[in-house]
């Protein structure tokens, strides 16, 4: 029971990866508060995961909503948050940079960067008061090596790595801060959006897009949700107590730095 007597806040938890992380934390003895945009989907996740899961809707880009979500989490979790997992993210509209709108660029940065910052800012004082904490942010393979036709997303995820590293220095030794950098992950909304954009931009049918991306992965397949959940929960756990400031690839060897 790796997370026995621990509490966690997970953003973006109505999606497959966030839900999977929340489920694993609960399975390993933790109590979890989840957030996302849609209260109905959060209620369904809470009903599925049981009495140790609570949730409230919040827009991660809205300062007042983030503050209220953290207050609700503290009320549900006995005024403690031991683990924060910033899953919430957005790919935006992919395409050539000359065709990208400013609104698209700013919305991608708002969800991926502002949202991660706002939740972290609210939770850090709670963790300091408790004398410990672990934060896991979500970057991407595209934050390590930028992806063509995804310049906004690549830039935002690179910024997330920089934010993670800065906080690792700033918050040690009380709070560890790491991030995960998944490659393309099956059965997620991100993959659905990315694949649709590449079908349009590359003028290839979906099976050819899948084949194109899979051929670049040394281990010969795309990431599974369980791969991302395993790495994230490891970083959140005491098994990673000597790790901070790391950007851990989950790419089947596609990314190696």
């Amino acid at each position: 029971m790796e997370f026995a007597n621990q509490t966690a806040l997970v953003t973006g938890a109505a999606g497959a990866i966030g839900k999977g992380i929340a489920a694993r934390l609960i399975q390993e003895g933790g109590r979890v508060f989840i957030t996302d945009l849609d209260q109905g989907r959060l209620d369904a996740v809470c009903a599925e995961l049981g009495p140790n899961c609570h949730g409230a809707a919040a827009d991660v880009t809205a300062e007042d909503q983030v503050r209220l979500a953290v207050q609700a989490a503290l009320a549900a979790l006995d005024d403690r948050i031991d683990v924060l997992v910033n899953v919430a993210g957005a790919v935006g509209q992919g395409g050539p940079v000359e065709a990208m709108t400013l609104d698209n660029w700013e919305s991608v940065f708002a969800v991926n960067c502002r949202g991660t910052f706002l939740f972290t800012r609210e939770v850090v004082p709670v963790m300091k008061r408790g004398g410990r904490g672990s934060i896991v942010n979500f970057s991407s393979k595209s934050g390590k090596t930028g992806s063509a036709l995804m310049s906004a997303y690549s830039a935002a995820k690179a910024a997330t790595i920089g934010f993670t590293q800065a906080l690792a220095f700033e918050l040690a030794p009380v709070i560890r801060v790491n991030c995960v950098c998944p490659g393309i992950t099956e059965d997620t909304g991100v993959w659905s959006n990315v694949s649709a954009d590449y079908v349009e931009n590359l003028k290839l049918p979906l099976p050819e897009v899948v084949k194109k991306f899979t051929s670049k992965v040394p281990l010969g397949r795309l990431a599974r949700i369980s791969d991302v959940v395993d790495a994230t929960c490891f970083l959140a756990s005491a098994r990673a107590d000597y790790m901070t400031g790391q950007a851990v690839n989950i790419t089947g060897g596609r990314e190696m730095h």
Side-chain angles (χ1 to χ4, degrees), residues 94-95 100 140-155 182-184 194 198 213 216 254-255:
M100 184 176 296
S140 166
K141 173 264 171 198
S142 297
K144 292 282 193 78
T145 300
S147 298
L149 305 176
M150 295 178 64
S151 57
Y153 182 72
S154 298
I184 290 175
V194 169
Y198 275 104
F213 279 102
K216 298 178 180 180
R254 177 71 177 87
E255 195 71 36

Side-chain angles (χ1 to χ4, degrees), residues 55-187:
D59 179 348
V60 300
T61 71
E63 188 173 19
D64 56 341
Q65 293 188 39
V66 170
R67 186 172 293 116
L68 288 172
V70 173
Q71 289 173 359
L74 291 171
L77 302 175
D78 299 328
D79 206 36
R80 288 172 44 217
I81 298 174
D82 301 305
V83 173
L84 170 64
V85 187
N86 285 305
V87 182
V91 177
Q93 182 67 43
V97 67
E98 66 269 25
M100 184 176 296
T101 66
L102 180 60
D103 283 346
N104 181 69
W105 177 275
E106 292 187 339
S107 68
V108 170
F109 267 81
V111 176
N112 292 288
C113 297
R114 187 196 307 168
T116 296
F117 158 69
L118 289 174
F119 267 98
T120 300
R121 187 183 66 178
E122 292 299 316
V123 169
V124 160
V126 179
M127 290 181 168
K128 285 184 174 180
R129 187 170 68 238
R132 57 168 294 175
S134 177
I135 299 172
V136 184
N137 296 323
F138 263 66
S139 181
S140 166
K141 173 264 171 198
S142 297
K144 292 282 193 78
T145 300
S147 298
L149 305 176
M150 295 178 64
S151 57
Y153 182 72
S154 298
K157 290 304 189 182
T160 300
I161 294 174
F163 181 63
T164 296
Q165 293 171 342
L167 290 186
F169 282 112
E170 179 180 331
L171 300 177
V174 176
I175 301 170
R176 296 184 301 106
V177 189
N178 294 287
C179 67
V180 291
C181 301
I184 290 175
T185 305
E186 296 173 338
D187 301 321

